[in-house]
Amino acid sequence: MAVLVSAADRPNVILVMTDDQGYGDLSCHGNPILKTPELDKLHAESIRFTDFHVSPFCTPTRASLMTGQHAGRTGAYRTTGGLSILYREKKTIANLFADNGYATGMFGKWHLGDNAPQRPQDKGFQDVVWHRCGGIGQGSDYWGNDYFDDTFERVTPGSRIGSFEKFEGYCTDVFFREASRFVEQNKEKPFFLYLALNAPHGPYYVAPEWEQPYKDNKAVVNSAFYGMIANIDWNMGLFRKQLDELGLAKNTIFIFMTDNGTAGGGKFSRYQDSPPMAGYNAGMRGRKSSIYEGGQRVPFFIYWPEGELTGGKDVETLAAHLDVMPTLAELCGIDLPEAYDVDGLSLVPLLKGEKDAWPREHLVIQHHGGRGYTSPLNEPFADTVVLTEKWRLVNSWRETPRHSFKLYDIENDFAQEKDVSQEHPEVVERLKELYQPFWEEVSPVFLNRLARVDLGNPDQNPTELCAQDWVMEKGYPPYSFKQIKKLPKVTAPWMVHVKQAGRYRFTLRQWPEAAGKPVVAVRAKLEIAGQTKEVSVEPGSTGVVIDLDLPAGSTELLTYLYNQAGKMGGAYFTEVEWLGAGAVEL
């Protein structure tokens, strides 16, 4: 099998990842209702990894996919609370390809940091159209976005400074359209394209013509969810047709995968670890956010005609999101520098049919908590599964008592219905021992360090902060448009790094600037770098301005808004602008 190439013949790479589409949300995986003919065609043509695993939530999957590292080592291992931001020094697969002469493009959902230096354009992507935060309609997204005719940030090659632009059409159509433009513009040189669709993530909005075929079927749990996938499938057909017409399909490595288990493909009990009560989940237990199989086993198709990666063949060996970067590097003849320090393994031996050369014996997936979440999630083994090709050792934090290890023979009990830990105590102990090196590697990182965003970075001035990145000791920060419509009742710090000393202007808001709505407060205060300043709020003001001189260095930023009754909450949005090195007249 010819899968290694010279620099002159390097293939293009297209990596398509959908959001919240589970293993069973494809007709080629047995779904009896959902129709996905274009994805079924890709499935029929591809090498399929049938035992492929990711993290049970979107941010950690994206962090591991981009870096090749366990999410706990990257800074981005939860979806909000300042824990969805990559450490500034982390290099991504886009850095790798850009440094090796590839044009790089990213369209859709990033969810690894809204601000410099953690945006996609800071991490190796040259041509970008993206929405902020974890979903369209969430707090830091452009105000008013609702999946139709939305405003996204565009970054053009040669610049890291983006601008907001209104796009016509449904969000999935827009992101595919931008991907098509990128391919057309870069057809004469190798390119790496990351098409990270936000669909079928909630809220479940889609045009009626896509939802209607499923709307009157009582067996369908969420007709809009299925309609969103049908729209993705249709776009996939158009996109692949374009690749054929441009003569690019044969020498393009085309990957399709998803970021976690299903969110809308079944009706579950209040515990995500349960089997579905209705709907289709390919016979698996658990859904998105669960460390059972249904939460983190996903589709992974890879197709490359010139590399002989075709034929509709299954690879049943244990593989993971960590493996994508080293695999693509080897397939494209790119040296992977030691500085990337990846935890994944190249899948090339498996693609060649050389299973005996595959060194992985186990895989650990842990749904970390970290600061801002309940303390049991900071413990070893908390919300963890240790996987081998035969066994799954599960410790779900939703089940009681905690640290009650359950063992499943996945080869004979795919639905994970029978706990056999009592029958095989030696297997339990062996898998627990295999976990220890993982914990020793990741725990000193995620338990002791938080990612910070820059203030005064010339690539983003002003910095636009949103409460979704507040680092809270308890609970969750507000993260959606609906939540920020309520008056603030709490506050928490942003972790920031003042990149250059000087005068900074802080504009505290209850609503984003684009909303144009007044702050409901009479007083405002902020604390940063050992300084505190308090001002009165002018009636009708949409933003409260406070200027301070700051030294360079890492610190925390806290904001406060007080109403007439003296009740306090934080500014949901705060813009921080560097005004210059010298003092500025107030």
Side-chain angles (χ1 to χ4, degrees), residues 12-13 66 133 161 164 193 218 389 411 415 420 459 486 512 537-538 540 553:
N12 307 306
V13 178
M66 288 292 102
C133 62
I161 300 175
F164 284 109
L193 166 61
K218 294 181 179 179
E389 289 186 23
E411 293 181 342
V420 294
D459 289 336
K486 301 175 183 177
V537 178
E538 294 294 328

Side-chain angles (χ1 to χ4, degrees), residues 246-467:
L246 293 174
L248 298 174
K250 289 184 178 180
N251 199 31
T252 294
I253 300 171
F254 197 104
I255 292 174
F256 171 78
M257 62 181 294
T258 72
D259 67 342
N260 45 243
T262 188
K267 182 178 181 182
F268 295 77
S269 75
R270 60 187 294 265
Y271 298 104
Q272 289 94 328
D273 290 342
S274 66
M277 297 179 288
Y280 181 78
N281 198 25
M284 294 186 293
R285 178 175 178 174
R287 56 164 290 183
K288 174 184 178 178
S289 81
S290 168
I291 44 85
Y292 279 90
E293 207 75 1
Q296 37 77 19
R297 183 193 287 237
V298 300
F300 186 87
F301 310 157
I302 181 168
Y303 175 68
W304 178 26
E306 285 196 8
E308 300 178 29
L309 301 183
T310 60
K313 303 171 187 175
D314 288 338
V315 176
E316 298 177 350
T317 308
L318 191 65
H321 50 3
L322 304 166
D323 304 327
V324 174
M325 180 191 286
T327 301
L328 289 176
E330 185 170 356
L331 290 176
C332 296
I334 295 174
D335 291 330
L336 186 57
E338 290 185 8
Y340 279 71
D341 192 21
V342 299
D343 296 311
L345 301 170
S346 172
L347 298 169
V348 168
L350 299 179
L351 292 170
K352 288 182 173 182
E354 300 172 354
K355 184 176 179 180
D356 291 344
W358 181 244
R360 175 177 288 135
E361 296 181 355
H362 74 285
L363 176 70
V364 176
I365 296 173
Q366 183 162 10
H367 192 185
H368 301 296
R371 182 180 177 186
Y373 296 90
T374 54
S375 59
L377 283 175
N378 294 333
E379 299 173 2
F381 289 110
D383 224 15
T384 293
V385 57
V386 182
L387 307 92
T388 70
E389 289 186 23
K390 181 175 178 59
W391 302 108
R392 303 291 192 261
L393 181 66
V394 172
N395 178 38
S396 171
W397 73 279
R398 296 182 181 88
E399 298 174 337
T400 55
R402 290 191 172 119
H403 294 308
S404 176
F405 295 96
K406 296 183 178 181
L407 181 69
Y408 299 94
D409 180 348
I410 202 70
E411 293 181 342
N412 297 300
D413 178 22
F414 187 67
Q416 295 177 289
E417 294 176 328
K418 183 181 179 182
D419 172 19
V420 294
S421 57
Q422 297 300 314
E423 292 93 320
H424 300 281
E426 75 288 351
V427 176
V428 173
E429 291 307 311
R430 178 170 64 86
L431 296 181
K432 288 169 70 174
E433 290 176 5
L434 290 175
Y435 168 86
Q436 290 302 329
F438 164 85
W439 180 252
E440 291 168 5
E441 181 180 23
V442 303
S443 60
V445 182
F446 87 90
L447 288 178
N448 295 296
R449 183 183 175 195
L450 292 164
R452 295 178 182 273
V453 301
D454 281 348
L455 306 182
N457 188 321
D459 289 336
Q460 187 192 31
N461 189 38
T463 301
E464 299 170 343
L465 300 172
C466 174

Side-chain angles (χ1 to χ4, degrees), residues 5 69 87 100 142 187 249 265 335 379 461 471 582:
V5 297
Q69 296 182 340
Y87 294 139
N100 282 274
Y142 194 87
K187 61 186 176 183
D335 291 330
E379 299 173 2
N461 189 38
V471 178

